[in-house]
Amino acid sequence: MCLLLISLRWLPIAALGLFIPERAEMYRNSTEVKMSQIVLPCHANHRGELSVGQLLKWMDSTACLSAERHAGCSCITASVDDIHFEHTIGVGQVVNIKAKVNRAFNSSMEVGIMVSCEDLFANRQWKVCNAFATFVARHTDEGKVQLKQVMPQTQEEQTEYSVAAERRRMRLLHTEIMKDLLGNERTRVESVELVLPPHANHQVNTFGGQIMAWMENVATIAASRLCNAHPTLRTIDMFHFRAPSQVGDRVVLKAIVNNAFKNSMEVGVCAEAYRGRETPRHINSAFMTFEVLDAEGNPRNLPRIKPEPLDGPRRYREAIARKKIRLDRKYIISCKQTEVPLSVPWEPSNQVYLSYNNVSALKMLAARTNWVLTSEKNKVNLYTLEENQVLCFKVETHVDIAAKRVFALLSDLTRRKEWDRHYKHCEMINQVDEEDAIYHVITPSVSKTNKGQDFILLASCRTPCNSGDPYLIALRSVTLPTHPPTEDYIRGEIFCAGFSILEVSSMVSYYNQASPGVLPYISNDIAGLSSGFYNSFCSCSKFLEENKESRATADSTAF
């Protein structure tokens, strides 16, 4: 495989066929790797578009080089998160891939990948997809590799660094939700590949991108057999590599259409490897969603399928469930924040993704650097941030109490009414797990109707992943069928709110992206006509001080 690494100072501009100004003063991440490839006919499918399998190979290679640049040793692909392809790439166009390490953990690291397409003749570019891959540093002669920490330098890097910890948590829980495709099922397509040296890296392990390309190939054949046409791959659910394969292995790939919906179909595909007479070992499994496009590029209606005997009905039902999970995940995570409704229905199937959205939204809000100091009183500071007609505010102060203890007290929302006059009543509805719970909160009336407001809030609490990370208590509105709006209260909604507690500086910060239901409580403070924030934080500090020695919950949260 030919990798073309772009360096603006080393590569002649004429070789690119376009003008790129040299900006030596621009900051560049030390782990950043770029690849640019012109799509040739040998890379394309029947429609003259870049094969997704080829694109996956290029993405994996670029990300691997970035991971190895940070680790200083060879790395292998452990997993790739969901990929949603927004556009296709045609022959003659240029694929630009950029990868950089977002965060390193012990021996694994997350690499962010951005893919864009460039039309040299029209002088325009557009985004194709982005992805997050996890790479693991291989052991050296000196033992297990301990990766050095990533040091974010820009606001964007700080945001990705912070959210990477929550993505890692979601990644670890993902396998509990998406059931694996079993290897002994009856399959529609089966193919075997011999792993040759060109398929492997310098450690003779098969490229993760090569495995993904082979899986995409058999999945495409399975989808083609159902619709008697050439399908287009739209999404790939998370890849998770369970074992490596090496040069000389035989990789067996099996694919089957699990279910067909109106305009899309789900294909399950798995990969196994063996050598000689040994028992095949499971390498990977994934679910891919295909569409068939008509001449105008619109999705065609697909024929329904009849579940096969034995495991067919199970696959059929699970495909329906996965489609629901897939839509929830795409809706909650992939959409722009302004496109996501304030309150999303909560279900056990989408809990992981709602929790991720909850925490990541708070982390991204906290990472903003353009806050404006609105008022300051006795070391209680009020900041505001107004962008795109959205008002956000932050209140912060220092406390002389251990951060772990502050976290334990503030994470129990049932006690918030002891210091926050805006909390009239609060009860826990559902203890989701050790880190997440759902509360019903009632607040006093601030309207002419004399009706109070109530909120259904998902609280997601996180302890630091590494030293220097804050404790987090993230809040957002959800809806529950068991707790619909009533005539007694006006149902309010919160999109993003919560606490960030720093252990080093003992700084407690409260954030809120003001929604219409929250504005009546804060408008006077923002305008400087009230000291409600100051009074609330003084009450909070007093509450923390009075309870800092309580042993009942000293070393544990309310969860």
Side-chain angles (χ1 to χ4, degrees):
M1 185 187 308
C2 178
L3 304 182
L4 181 59
L5 301 181
I6 301 299
S7 173
L8 299 183
R9 289 178 293 179
W10 298 341
L11 187 63
I13 292 175
L16 295 178
L18 73 164
F19 175 74
I20 300 179
E22 182 176 346
R23 298 184 62 182
E25 73 280 1
M26 182 181 293
Y27 163 75
R28 179 167 179 177
N29 189 298
S30 61
T31 67
E32 182 178 287
V33 173
K34 294 181 179 181
M35 174 192 287
S36 290
Q37 295 278 3
I38 295 179
V39 180
L40 302 176
C42 61
H43 302 141
N45 58 21
H46 63 285
R47 296 171 61 92
E49 298 169 347
L50 173 64
S51 163
V52 173
Q54 182 63 61
L55 177 59
L56 291 172
K57 291 166 66 175
W58 286 341
M59 291 169 63
D60 180 66
S61 298
T62 310
C64 184
L65 291 173
S66 174
E68 292 183 345
R69 177 175 287 183
H70 179 74
C73 62
S74 62
C75 299
I76 57 175
T77 313
S79 67
V80 180
D81 292 0
D82 303 350
I83 306 175
H84 303 281
F85 298 98
E86 300 179 15
H87 299 282
T88 57
I89 304 172
V91 171
Q93 295 176 332
V94 175
V95 181
N96 295 312
I97 305 174
K98 181 172 70 173
K100 60 187 176 77
V101 177
N102 292 331
R103 183 162 186 164
F105 299 96
N106 293 325
S107 59
S108 66
M109 69 203 92
E110 179 191 277
V111 180
I113 310 167
M114 174 65 72
V115 181
S116 62
C117 180
E118 181 179 356
D119 189 324
L120 298 179
F121 300 99
N123 192 28
R124 64 188 186 93
Q125 296 189 29
W126 57 91
K127 176 186 172 184
V128 174
C129 67
N130 68 323
F132 299 98
T134 301
F135 285 82
V136 176
R138 290 179 58 84
H139 293 192
T140 64
D141 295 337
E142 299 177 357
K144 187 175 181 180
V145 176
Q146 180 68 39
L147 295 174
K148 61 183 179 182
Q149 291 298 310
V150 173
M151 304 300 292
Q153 300 296 322
T154 66
Q155 179 179 326
E156 178 185 356
E157 291 180 359
Q158 179 60 49
T159 301
E160 292 295 349
Y161 176 88
S162 181
V163 178
E166 191 61 20
R167 278 194 293 263
R168 180 173 184 257
R169 177 182 181 274
M170 184 182 69
R171 205 171 285 130
L172 295 174
L173 294 174
H174 179 84
T175 53
E176 300 178 9
I177 299 172
M178 303 291 285
K179 295 184 178 180
D180 293 337
L181 180 69
L182 299 180
N184 59 355
E185 297 183 308
R186 293 180 60 189
T187 61
R188 293 183 182 270
V189 178
E190 181 172 332
S191 178
V192 62
E193 299 282 356
L194 174 63
V195 181
L196 300 174
H199 302 143
N201 59 21
H202 46 290
Q203 296 294 324
V204 304
N205 287 320
T206 313
F207 279 116
Q210 182 63 68
I211 297 290
M212 291 187 283
W214 285 336
M215 294 174 70
E216 185 268 339
N217 178 61
V218 295
T220 300
I221 296 173
S224 299
R225 289 183 176 177
L226 175 71
C227 59
N228 296 321
H230 295 289
T232 298
L233 179 60
R234 286 303 187 196
T235 65
I236 303 175
D237 289 349
M238 186 181 295
F239 285 103
H240 181 75
F241 290 90
R242 290 166 171 78
S245 64
Q246 297 181 328
V247 171
D249 283 348
R250 278 69 173 170
V251 176
V252 179
L253 303 121
K254 303 175 183 180
I256 188 169
V257 177
N258 291 326
N259 204 338
F261 306 97
K262 182 179 180 181
N263 300 121
S264 65
M265 71 186 89
E266 180 196 272
V267 179
V269 57
C270 70
E272 299 174 332
Y274 71 94
R275 180 175 299 194
R277 296 182 179 180
E278 68 180 19
T279 303
R281 57 190 185 277
H282 189 186
I283 299 298
N284 203 337
S285 60
F287 300 98
M288 303 185 184
T289 303
F290 289 85
E291 294 178 349
V292 178
L293 306 180
D294 59 21
E296 286 74 34
N298 300 316
R300 282 171 34 186
N301 291 342
L302 298 178
R304 306 296 292 177
I305 69 169
K306 181 180 179 181
E308 295 184 356
L310 301 177
D311 285 336
R314 176 187 62 81
R315 288 199 312 271
Y316 185 89
R317 291 191 300 269
E318 288 181 356
I320 296 174
R322 281 190 295 269
K323 182 182 180 185
K324 173 66 169 59
I325 294 172
R326 194 175 295 120
L327 290 174
D328 285 339
R329 184 169 64 248
K330 181 179 179 181
Y331 185 63
I332 295 168
I333 297 176
S334 301
C335 292
K336 297 179 181 179
Q337 291 191 12
T338 55
E339 298 174 355
V340 179
L342 294 182
S343 189
V344 178
W346 180 90
E347 295 178 0
S349 63
N350 68 7
Q351 160 59 26
V352 172
Y353 315 113
L354 276 174
S355 179
Y356 165 79
N357 176 270
N358 193 16
V359 175
S360 62
L362 179 61
K363 287 186 173 183
M364 287 188 283
L365 185 59
R368 304 302 295 270
T369 58
N370 51 339
W371 293 95
V372 177
L373 180 62
T374 302
S375 66
E376 181 179 6
K377 185 175 181 181
N378 293 340
K379 298 183 180 180
V380 176
N381 299 336
L382 170 63
Y383 299 84
T384 58
L385 173 63
E386 188 171 2
E387 271 189 2
N388 300 322
Q389 299 181 340
V390 176
L391 175 65
C392 305
F393 63 89
K394 173 177 72 171
V395 188
E396 65 180 19
T397 190
H398 290 270
V399 295
D400 189 20
I401 304 171
K404 183 178 181 180
R405 179 60 181 151
V406 175
F407 173 72
L409 290 168
L410 296 183
S411 62
D412 184 358
L413 293 192
T414 61
R415 299 195 64 181
R416 186 160 168 175
K417 60 181 181 292
E418 296 180 33
W419 59 269
D420 190 345
R421 62 186 178 86
H422 295 135
Y423 270 54
K424 183 178 179 180
H425 177 75
C426 179
E427 66 170 331
M428 183 187 294
I429 300 173
N430 187 355
Q431 179 72 69
V432 179
D433 54 36
E434 294 181 355
E435 298 180 307
D436 295 83
I438 300 176
Y439 293 87
H440 182 210
V441 178
I442 298 176
T443 63
S445 172
V446 291
S447 65
K448 297 180 180 179
T449 62
N450 292 323
K451 283 187 177 181
Q453 286 197 104
D454 69 336
F455 300 80
I456 305 297
L457 299 181
L458 170 65
S460 303
C461 301
R462 301 289 187 270
T463 56
C465 182
N466 293 111
S467 59
D469 289 348
Y471 290 86
L472 290 173
I473 305 167
L475 305 171
R476 67 157 297 154
S477 287
V478 295
T479 59
L480 288 176
T482 56
H483 289 73
T486 65
E487 296 182 356
D488 298 331
Y489 301 100
I490 301 172
R491 177 56 55 88
E493 293 184 315
I494 293 176
F495 176 70
C496 175
F499 291 92
S500 173
I501 307 160
L502 290 174
E503 189 165 16
V504 176
S505 61
S506 299
M507 174 76 76
V508 178
S509 302
Y510 175 75
Y511 298 87
N512 198 312
Q513 182 172 319
S515 61
V518 175
L519 282 173
Y521 297 97
I522 66 170
S523 56
N524 288 337
D525 291 272
I526 299 297
L529 303 177
S530 172
S531 299
F533 281 131
Y534 171 74
N535 294 331
S536 294
F537 254 60
C538 286
S539 298
C540 180
S541 298
K542 182 179 179 181
F543 166 77
L544 296 173
E545 185 67 31
E546 291 175 348
N547 291 275
K548 68 177 182 180
E549 300 299 337
S550 174
R551 304 307 302 171
T553 57
D555 296 317
S556 64
T557 69
F559 291 36

